[in-house]
Amino acid sequence: RTSLVIILPMRLALVVPLLLLLGPSTTAVGFALASSSSSSSSSSSSCPSSETMSDEASSLPRWDLSRFGFPSPHSADLDDHVARTDAMSEAFRKTYEGNLESKLLDAVIEYEKIGVRRTTVGSYLSLSYDVALNDDALKKRKGAISERQSRSYGDHLSWFELDLAAMDDETLQGQYDATKDEQGGGLMKYKAYVDEVRRQRPHNLEKGVERALTVRSPYVGTRPLVSFVDRELSLMRFALPDAADGEEVNMEVLLSRLSSSKDAPFRAAALKSLNDGLGGAMVRISALSLSAVAGSWHVENAERKYASVRSRRNLGNNVPDEVVDSLLRGVREAGVPLCKRYYALKKRILSSTQGLETFRWSDRNAPIDIPSSSSSDGEEKKEDDKISWDAAVEMVERGYRKFSPAMAEMFLDQVREKRIDVPPVDAKKGGAYCAGVVPGLGPFQLLNFDGTKRDVATLAHESGHGCHDILAYDQGYLQYHPPLTLAETASIFGEMIVFRDLLDLASGPGERLSLLMSKIDDVINSVVRQCSFDYFEELAHGARERGELSAEELDGFWTRAVNEYYGVAGDEGGDSPFDSYEDISHLWAYVPHFHHVPFYVYSYAFADLVVGALYGSFLSKPEGFEDRLLDLLRAGGTKDFAEALGPFGLRPDDPEFWAEALGAHLGGLVDEAEELARELGYAP
C-alpha cells in the first residue's frame, strides 16, 4: 500500500499501439513518482526548449503545465507547498493515530487532502522531467523531493492504512453506522477505498518494517536502478539504415520507421540496428535492473505470504488468481493457433505485394501494400503518407463523436487545453502514457507522434484514458482510478471506435484489408504478445529464486517465450509462419513493464478481450449502450470487474469466457481479413 501512495500519480497504462512496434512500447508507462521529479532552473513550466528539435517536431504541440501553479520546478513556491504538506502530515499523525475507532471518516478525508497535495507536486515534477531526461539538475531535484516525501510518508502517514486494514469488523461497522446519511455520504462514500485497503491485511508487515521500507526506497530499493535504465534508453541513438549521412535517431523514431516501412531489407536492417544497439552495455544494465526487481519481488512475496508469483499483482487488480490463470490458459490454447493462422495469411500477402522471400520477425508489423482507390482530389492514395497532427485529431474526434458526443468533447478539451505533449524529441520518455494526476488538475498525455497510423491509434487510446479520468474524477482522489483490469476499457474502446470509423470510410476492399491487417496486428500484440511477455517474466522470476540473472540467460528466456507463442521458426525446423527470428535476442531489454510493474502485462490481454466482448454487445444491443459504458467509466475504482461488466451480460470469471472472447474478437477479424484476401486473390 505504501508504494501506491508514492507512485500513483500516473495512470499505470502502457499504450497498446506502441507495443506493436517490435514488441512493447519503449517506456510507455507513466510511472512518475509522486515523491520525485523536477526540472532544471532553465526549464519553463510548460515544456523544455525545442532547440534540438527538427522543424517538423518543433511545430507540434507541447503540454502546458502552468495550471499546476508553480513558476518552475525549482521555485520557492514548490518548496513551500512541500513544507506545508509535511506539516499537515505530521499533524495528521498526532491527531488521528490511535483514534481511528472514533474519527475514521475525518481521518480519511484529511488523508485524501494530503494525498492530493503530494501527488500534485510529484506529478508536476515527473511530467517536467519526462520531457527533459538529459537534465541533470532536474534529476537531482527530482531525487531530493522523492527522498523528502518518502521520509514524510514513512514517519507520518504509513501507519494509517496499516491501522485501517487491522481494524476489527465490528469497530469498522460502527463507524459506518455512526456517519451514515440518507445521501449515501459519510464513511460509506469511501467504502471501495476502505475495502481495497483491507484486502491487503493478510500481507501487511509490522509498522516499523513498513516505515523502513518506505523511507529507504529512494536510496536502496529498485527505484534508482529502474530510473537509470529509463534514462539510458531515452539517450540511446541508433543507426538509421540506408542513411547517406550516417544519420542516427532515437529509439522512438527507429521503431516508428521500422513499423511503417514497406521495404523488407530496410526493416531487417532496422531490427538489426535496434538489437545490436541494445546488445552492448544496455542489455547488461537491463539485466542488472531486472534481476534486482525480480529478487525484490520474490523476497516481498515470501515475506508478505502471497500464494503465487502473480498473486500480488492480482490482488492489486482485484482479480482472483484463478481468473488470471484461465485468461493465460485461454490465450495459450485459442490465441496461439489464431496467431499462426494470421501470420500465414500475412506472409502470403507480403510475398505477393512486396516480393517477400523470407518472412522475418522484422516483417511482423509491416504495413500491407495494397493499391487503393483514389483520394478525393483524384490522386492515388498512398498508404505510407505521413498523417499530420491536425488530421490525426480530426480522425479521433470523428470516430469518438459517432459513438459518444460527450467523449468527443472531452477529447477536444484535452487538445485545446494543451494537455498533450506530442513530438518524438530526444531526451523525452519513450512510448506514451496518460497521467490522471488528481481530480480537477489532470489529465495529461505524453505521446511520441511521428505521423503513422499507429500514432493515430495511440492518440485514440491515450485520449480514452483521459476521458475515463475525467468521468471518474467525481469519485475523488482515493477512488477515481479503476482497477487495472478496467483501466484499459475506455482506451481500447476508443481505439476500436476510431478503427471502425476508418474501416467504414475505406474506399475499397484493398484499403479495407490494409486497415484490417493493421488492426489484427494490434490485437495480437496486445493479447498474444502480452501473454508471451508474462511467460518471459514467469521464466525470469522463477530463475531469480536460484540466483542472479545474467543477460545471456534472459536472452534465452526471451527466445523461448517467442517460440512458445509464435512457434519455432522455419529455419530451425519448426511450424511457425516465420522463417527466421534473427536479431530478436536482446529486445526484452527495453520493455519497461518488467522493471516498473512486474506481471502487469496480462492486463492488456484482459482489457482487449473484454473490450472486444463489449463491442460485440454494442453491435447486438446498441440502444442505451453509451449510457451504460459511461456509467462504467464514471464508477472509477468503486466497482470491481465483475460488478462493472454485469450490466453488459459479460462474465470474465467464467473459465470459458476467454477462449470464446478470443474466437469472437480476434477470430472474427481474421475471418474478415481472409475473406477479403480471397476476394483480392491473395488467399486460396
Side-chain angles (χ1 to χ4, degrees):
R1 291 295 314 165
T2 58
S3 63
L4 289 180
V5 176
I6 296 170
I7 299 176
L8 201 57
M10 293 293 188
R11 172 179 295 286
L12 299 179
L14 310 166
V15 59
V16 172
L18 290 176
L19 306 174
L20 314 175
L21 301 179
L22 273 225
S25 150
T26 57
T27 316
V29 190
F31 300 102
L33 304 174
S35 54
S36 66
S37 293
S38 177
S39 175
S40 73
S41 56
S42 63
S43 297
S44 72
S45 61
S46 301
C47 62
S49 168
S50 58
E51 291 178 2
T52 62
M53 301 181 204
S54 67
D55 291 340
E56 181 181 4
S58 65
S59 67
L60 294 173
R62 310 305 302 268
W63 56 28
D64 178 8
L65 305 184
S66 62
R67 68 184 67 250
F68 280 86
F70 302 115
S72 84
H74 288 268
S75 71
D77 289 353
L78 190 146
D79 291 308
D80 291 343
H81 179 103
V82 174
R84 173 60 182 155
T85 305
D86 287 347
M88 292 173 64
S89 300
E90 184 175 1
F92 176 81
R93 179 179 57 80
K94 291 178 179 178
T95 302
Y96 296 109
E97 189 170 19
N99 297 311
L100 293 187
E101 291 80 2
S102 58
K103 297 182 178 180
L104 181 54
L105 175 58
D106 291 341
V108 171
I109 292 172
E110 184 66 12
Y111 185 78
E112 184 170 48
K113 291 178 182 177
I114 294 170
V116 167
R117 292 181 62 87
R118 288 169 57 85
T119 299
T120 296
V121 71
S123 295
Y124 171 68
L125 295 171
S126 293
L127 294 172
S128 298
Y129 183 61
D130 283 352
V131 293
L133 295 178
N134 61 344
D135 190 329
D136 289 335
L138 164 62
K139 181 182 178 182
K140 185 174 181 179
R141 171 73 157 167
K142 178 178 187 253
I145 296 297
S146 172
E147 293 161 11
R148 180 171 178 174
Q149 292 214 126
S150 290
R151 285 195 302 272
S152 178
Y153 185 86
D155 289 341
H156 306 305
L157 300 173
S158 61
W159 66 271
F160 173 66
E161 292 188 342
L162 297 172
D163 282 6
L164 175 55
M167 183 179 290
D168 66 81
D169 293 342
E170 184 178 351
T171 300
L172 178 61
Q173 187 58 51
Q175 289 287 287
Y176 280 131
D177 294 340
T179 60
K180 186 183 301 183
D181 65 31
E182 295 181 358
Q183 284 73 43
L187 186 61
M188 285 298 296
K189 176 183 175 182
Y190 296 95
K191 188 176 186 304
Y193 165 70
V194 172
D195 289 347
E196 180 187 1
V197 171
R198 289 171 69 79
R199 282 196 297 272
Q200 299 286 342
R201 175 164 50 183
H203 310 291
N204 287 335
L205 305 177
E206 186 269 329
K207 278 187 186 180
V209 176
E210 295 283 9
R211 178 197 174 277
L213 289 172
T214 299
V215 172
R216 295 173 64 192
S217 63
Y219 304 93
V220 298
T222 59
R223 191 190 306 175
L225 264 177
V226 172
S227 296
F228 184 71
V229 170
D230 284 348
R231 185 174 187 272
E232 291 304 299
L233 283 170
S234 76
L235 298 177
M236 289 192 73
R237 308 285 292 181
F238 299 85
L240 189 65
D242 300 336
D245 57 356
E247 180 185 1
E248 292 186 336
V249 295
N250 63 36
M251 185 153 44
E252 287 298 315
V253 173
L254 181 67
L255 290 171
S256 177
R257 304 290 167 81
L258 170 59
S259 70
S260 60
S261 174
K262 295 178 180 177
D263 182 347
F266 176 93
R267 293 194 299 263
L271 179 60
K272 179 174 173 55
S273 178
L274 175 66
N275 196 60
D276 288 352
L278 293 172
M282 194 67 238
V283 75
R284 296 191 297 274
I285 294 170
S286 291
L288 178 64
S289 175
L290 182 51
S291 187
V293 168
S296 175
W297 189 261
H298 172 64
V299 170
E300 284 214 37
N301 279 357
E303 291 292 327
R304 296 182 185 277
K305 297 180 173 58
Y306 288 104
S308 74
V309 72
R310 294 182 189 83
S311 295
R312 182 174 166 194
R313 179 68 58 212
N314 297 345
L315 184 64
N317 289 347
N318 196 16
V319 179
D321 286 354
E322 54 269 23
V323 172
V324 176
D325 291 344
S326 67
L327 162 67
L328 296 172
R329 184 170 55 253
V331 171
R332 180 78 71 96
E333 294 174 356
V336 171
L338 280 170
C339 177
K340 292 180 179 179
R341 179 178 145 200
Y342 167 70
Y343 285 123
L345 172 65
K346 186 164 191 175
K347 181 178 181 178
R348 286 196 297 270
I349 294 175
L350 288 174
S351 296
S352 298
T353 60
Q354 296 183 16
L356 193 72
E357 296 181 358
T358 301
F359 188 44
R360 305 175 186 275
W361 190 254
S362 53
D363 302 313
R364 184 170 55 86
N365 292 308
I368 299 300
D369 190 12
I370 298 175
S372 59
S373 60
S374 300
S375 60
S376 58
D377 59 6
E379 295 183 2
E380 182 180 339
K381 183 176 179 181
K382 295 182 179 180
E383 296 297 329
D384 53 355
D385 283 350
K386 277 201 170 187
I387 300 167
S388 71
W389 169 249
D390 289 343
V393 169
E394 182 180 345
M395 290 176 185
V396 174
E397 188 266 339
R398 184 181 62 231
Y400 271 40
R401 192 168 297 281
K402 283 187 175 181
F403 168 71
S404 171
M407 287 183 66
E409 289 303 315
M410 290 178 217
F411 162 66
L412 290 178
D413 284 345
Q414 293 174 68
V415 175
R416 289 188 290 249
E417 295 172 6
K418 297 183 178 180
R419 295 180 174 275
I420 309 176
D421 199 85
V422 179
V425 296
D426 292 345
K428 177 178 177 179
K429 184 179 283 289
Y433 64 68
C434 181
V437 189
V438 299
L441 191 54
F444 289 89
Q445 295 181 43
L446 181 143
L447 304 178
N448 280 276
F449 182 86
D450 196 40
T452 68
K453 290 179 181 178
R454 288 196 170 98
D455 290 330
V456 177
T458 297
L459 176 62
H461 180 101
E462 296 305 332
S463 298
H465 280 306
C467 293
H468 199 165
D469 288 330
I470 293 165
L471 288 164
Y473 279 156
D474 284 346
Q475 301 296 342
Y477 168 76
L478 293 176
Q479 298 184 140
Y480 87 87
H481 198 289
L484 295 185
T485 46
L486 294 175
E488 299 292 338
T489 304
S491 55
I492 297 178
F493 200 87
E495 283 186 71
M496 179 65 78
I497 58 179
V498 171
F499 160 70
R500 284 295 174 184
D501 176 60
L502 294 175
L503 201 62
D504 289 343
L505 296 174
S507 57
E511 184 179 356
R512 188 175 178 86
L513 178 58
S514 176
L515 287 167
L516 270 170
M517 298 291 282
S518 179
K519 183 60 180 176
I520 296 169
D521 284 340
D522 294 0
V523 174
I524 287 177
N525 281 304
S526 60
V527 177
V528 178
R529 186 149 178 77
Q530 296 308 304
C531 289
S532 79
F533 289 171
D534 179 275
Y535 181 57
F536 168 81
E537 287 190 277
E538 180 182 311
L539 295 172
H541 281 249
R544 184 62 182 88
E545 297 179 18
R546 300 185 293 275
E548 188 171 343
L549 300 171
S550 69
E552 293 75 17
E553 192 175 15
L554 291 165
D555 287 350
F557 293 151
W558 185 256
T559 302
R560 181 174 167 184
V562 170
N563 286 334
E564 285 287 332
Y565 280 81
Y566 294 86
V568 176
D571 61 5
E572 296 291 334
D575 64 346
S576 172
F578 289 96
D579 297 310
S580 172
Y581 291 146
E582 187 178 4
D583 295 319
I584 71 166
S585 58
H586 307 313
L587 300 187
W588 61 269
Y590 77 101
V591 183
H593 321 54
F594 301 155
H595 306 269
H596 287 280
V597 277
F599 297 99
Y600 174 96
V601 289
Y602 76 73
S603 297
Y604 288 117
F606 192 112
D608 206 298
L609 294 178
V610 164
V611 168
L614 279 172
Y615 195 79
S617 174
F618 167 58
L619 294 178
S620 61
K621 296 180 181 179
E623 186 176 351
F625 183 89
E626 179 190 358
D627 291 338
R628 291 196 299 276
L629 183 64
L630 295 184
D631 284 345
L632 181 157
L633 302 180
R634 290 189 187 99
T638 63
K639 295 180 180 180
D640 64 21
F641 74 95
E643 182 182 3
L645 297 174
F648 302 91
L650 304 183
R651 291 288 308 276
D653 52 347
D654 183 339
E656 303 302 317
F657 172 83
W658 302 107
E660 293 174 0
L662 265 165
H665 182 34
L666 178 56
L669 290 170
V670 173
D671 288 344
E672 198 172 348
E674 287 176 334
E675 183 178 348
L676 278 171
R678 282 191 291 271
E679 179 182 339
L680 293 166
Y682 296 123

